[in-house]
Amino acid sequence: MSDRPAELVRAVVFDVGRVLVEWDLRLLLRKVYDDEACVQWAFANVVSEAWHAQHDAGRDLDEMVAERKRAFPDFAAAIDAYAVNFADSIPGLVPGTSDLVARLAACGVPLFAITNFADKFWSEFRPTEPLFDHFRDIVVSGKEKLAKPGSAIYRLAEQRFGYRACEMLFIDDSLPNIEAAQRLGWQVHHFTGAQALEADLATRGLLGQ
């Protein structure tokens, strides 16, 4: 999904996970278990994305870990790995998008981000990735205790970034997040890969000549 509105894009707003950086909880689980079937079961039922989303939204990590261990005592090692080694779930940058960030920055396009990311995990990860030096501000769900696709986090971003929704292009791999932003008047691009994003940015005149 992308749109072609008449309004000029004055700022570009990225999602982080699976747009700028790769993310897969199974990567950290594979450092705990050799059996792939065990990894997949733990991912589906214990250290799942749905469970993790509670921390992204601001729920206390210690509370989550204690509750999960009571529910799945045989998977305590996996739960501890999540709490202590979350960075193992982030193997690197999504191919191509870091180059687009650099090109946008070189063209003077103001760059921002809205990410569903736990506050503690973001505080640990952010200093390790210089790509985010290009960004003027980043709204982090765990810090604000607001998460996409809820409307409040987009409204907060409008206030923080200093642009009207219609002046910003929001890029996310999650269709519900894109649809929520679009309903609030944002211009949007549903991310499926760097090649399609590059074409959209070029069409909008954001990558220069």
Side-chain angles (χ1 to χ4, degrees), residues 3 8 20 26 29 40 70 75 79-80 84 90-94 120 131 135 151 153 168 178 188 190:
D3 53 3
L8 182 68
L20 296 174
R26 288 167 292 193
L29 293 172
Q40 295 296 339
R70 288 193 297 270
F75 286 85
I79 298 163
D80 285 337
V84 177
I90 306 173
L93 298 174
V94 171
K120 175 180 181 294
L131 176 68
F135 289 74
S151 61
I153 195 168
M168 294 186 282
I178 284 294
V188 298
H190 184 209

Side-chain angles (χ1 to χ4, degrees), residues 90-171:
I90 306 173
L93 298 174
V94 171
T97 50
S98 59
D99 292 336
L100 294 175
V101 167
R103 290 171 64 186
L104 289 167
C107 290
V109 177
L111 299 177
F112 302 93
I114 305 172
T115 181
N116 282 357
F117 213 119
D119 187 24
K120 175 180 181 294
F121 293 161
W122 177 255
S123 297
E124 294 168 350
F125 171 69
R126 168 60 187 91
T128 72
E129 184 44 71
L131 176 68
F132 296 106
D133 294 344
H134 289 297
F135 289 74
R136 301 186 181 190
D137 193 7
I138 299 174
V139 171
V140 178
S141 65
K143 181 175 182 179
E144 305 301 335
K145 294 182 171 53
L146 302 170
K148 298 176 290 185
S151 61
I153 195 168
Y154 298 98
R155 293 308 191 200
L156 175 64
E158 291 174 44
Q159 296 170 13
R160 288 256 297 264
F161 302 163
Y163 295 90
R164 293 178 296 155
C166 62
E167 297 174 323
M168 294 186 282
L169 174 64
F170 178 59
I171 301 159

